[in-house]
């Protein structure tokens, strides 16, 4: 029920200290507290809408015409700085979590072109950095040598690898191919050495047979 002050009707409300009190407008009893509110906002370093004036002490508040008097009223509790209103981000965080899962991102929610939302240059830079970071790590761990590193670096720059997984598969295949080539070269080298040794043995054998034939041919001539 509205309270009554003489023939004036006053509206009750809850103040900053959560105490039910009566709101008096500026014209109540012919008092204007605009100056006191301005001085209080200057003293308490906040906006005028954050200032609460005790409606039960209107006369005493109206007598304050300096900052010193306002400080005294603040100390007495007649003038209070209202607490900051809560601005919860719970709903915003919940929405952002849903957006990360892919919700609320349909065609109706998009403002801007595909290039403006995520430029192709940014995508390219991110991909190159991922690939180059992997190549550098493999080179430091001695998994690839500097020649393979340079070859793969230039291929990644030439847009050969779509992502990190493709590059890793290519590295495994390249290492396997290189090991196979090395094995084939070693086998070919071993075969070449083996053939060379066989050829040398054959030549030695042929030379020995020739010397034996010559020695056998000499006594026959003497007999004749």
């Amino acid at each position: 029920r509205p309270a009554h002050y003489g023939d004036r009707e006053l509206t009750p409300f809850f103040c900053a200290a959560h105490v039910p009190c009566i709101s008096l407008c500026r014209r109540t009893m012919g008092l204007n507290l605009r100056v006191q509110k301005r001085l209080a906002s200057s003293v308490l370093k906040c906006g005028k809408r954050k200032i609460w004036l005790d409606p039960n002490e209107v006369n005493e508040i109206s007598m304050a015409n300096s900052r010193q008097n306002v400080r005294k009223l603040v100390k007495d509790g007649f003038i209070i700085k209202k607490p900051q209103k809560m601005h919860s981000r719970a709903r915003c965080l919940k929405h952002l979590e849903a957006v990360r899962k892919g919700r609320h991102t349909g065609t109706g929610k998009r403002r801007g072109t595909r290039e403006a939302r995520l430029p192709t240059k940014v995508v390219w830079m991110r991909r190159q950095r991922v690939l180059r970071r992997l190549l550098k790590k493999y080179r430091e761990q001695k998994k690839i040598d500097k020649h393979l590193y340079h070859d793969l670096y230039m291929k990644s720059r030439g847009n050969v690898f779509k992502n990190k997984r493709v590059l890793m598969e290519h590295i495994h295949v390249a290492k396997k191919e290189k090991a196979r080539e090395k094995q084939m070269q070693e086998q070919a080298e071993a075969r070449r050495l083996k053939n060379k040794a066989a050829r040398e043995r054959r030549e030695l054998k042929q030379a020995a047979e020739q010397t034996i034939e010559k020695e056998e041919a000499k006594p026959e001539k003497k007999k004749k």
Side-chain angles (χ1 to χ4, degrees):
R1 259 179 347 188
H4 292 274
Y5 187 86
D7 57 348
R8 297 184 184 87
E9 188 175 286
L10 307 175
T11 307
F13 78 101
F14 284 84
C15 68
H18 305 289
V19 179
C21 55
I22 297 172
S23 173
L24 294 173
C25 64
R26 289 175 185 167
R27 296 174 186 172
T28 302
M29 299 176 67
L31 297 176
N32 190 343
L33 304 179
R34 186 180 296 173
V35 175
Q36 285 74 16
K37 203 164 228 183
R38 180 179 62 79
L39 293 173
S41 69
S42 176
V43 169
L44 296 175
K45 296 180 180 177
C46 63
K48 285 184 281 190
R49 69 187 186 89
K50 286 281 187 182
I51 299 300
W52 177 82
L53 305 176
D54 191 347
N56 299 322
E57 303 293 339
V58 174
N59 292 326
E60 191 170 348
I61 292 172
S62 65
M63 297 294 291
N65 57 1
S66 67
R67 286 179 170 80
Q68 186 175 356
N69 295 339
V70 169
R71 288 192 190 96
K72 186 177 182 302
L73 293 173
V74 170
K75 188 176 180 182
D76 295 339
F78 298 157
I79 297 177
I80 296 174
K81 179 181 177 182
K82 292 180 186 177
Q84 189 173 3
K85 290 183 180 178
M86 177 61 70
H87 187 185
S88 175
R89 283 187 54 80
R91 290 179 295 278
C92 179
L93 295 175
K94 185 179 178 182
H95 178 76
L96 288 176
E97 187 178 356
V99 169
R100 289 191 196 99
K101 292 179 181 177
R103 278 60 158 166
H104 318 295
T105 53
T107 52
K109 290 287 185 180
R110 298 176 194 168
R111 302 289 296 277
T113 62
R114 181 190 302 175
E115 185 69 18
R117 286 164 63 84
L118 186 61
T120 53
K121 183 176 180 179
V122 173
V123 175
W124 170 261
M125 285 164 55
R126 288 179 183 172
R127 184 164 44 140
Q128 289 301 306
R129 285 171 182 170
V130 168
L131 298 177
R132 291 174 183 179
R133 200 180 303 125
L134 180 69
L135 289 174
K136 184 180 177 183
K137 186 176 78 171
Y138 275 19
R139 185 180 63 178
E140 290 174 353
Q141 294 176 352
K142 307 295 183 183
K143 290 185 177 180
I144 57 175
D145 58 1
K146 61 180 182 179
H147 304 291
L148 184 58
Y149 169 84
H150 181 71
D151 184 40
L152 296 176
Y153 188 98
M154 299 306 290
K155 281 186 176 180
S156 64
R157 184 179 177 184
N159 200 22
V160 174
F161 309 116
K162 185 171 71 172
N163 51 37
K164 188 176 174 181
R165 179 180 55 80
V166 175
L167 176 59
M168 291 174 70
E169 290 177 357
H170 188 277
I171 288 173
H172 292 317
V173 172
K175 287 177 70 177
K176 199 177 290 184
E177 185 70 22
K178 192 172 182 180
R180 193 173 68 84
E181 288 180 0
K182 187 178 180 182
Q183 186 179 2
M184 290 179 66
Q185 286 178 358
E186 289 176 353
Q187 290 177 355
E189 185 67 23
R191 202 179 300 117
R192 192 161 45 249
L193 293 173
K194 183 179 178 182
N195 293 338
K196 185 178 180 182
R199 198 183 312 117
E200 289 176 353
R201 285 197 303 272
R202 198 182 310 118
E203 289 175 355
L204 289 172
K205 187 176 179 182
Q206 289 176 357
E209 288 177 354
Q210 288 177 1
T211 52
I212 291 171
E213 288 178 358
K214 286 180 181 179
E215 288 177 356
E216 287 179 352
K218 284 179 182 179
E220 292 177 358
K221 287 181 181 179
K222 289 180 181 179
K223 289 178 182 179
K224 291 179 180 180

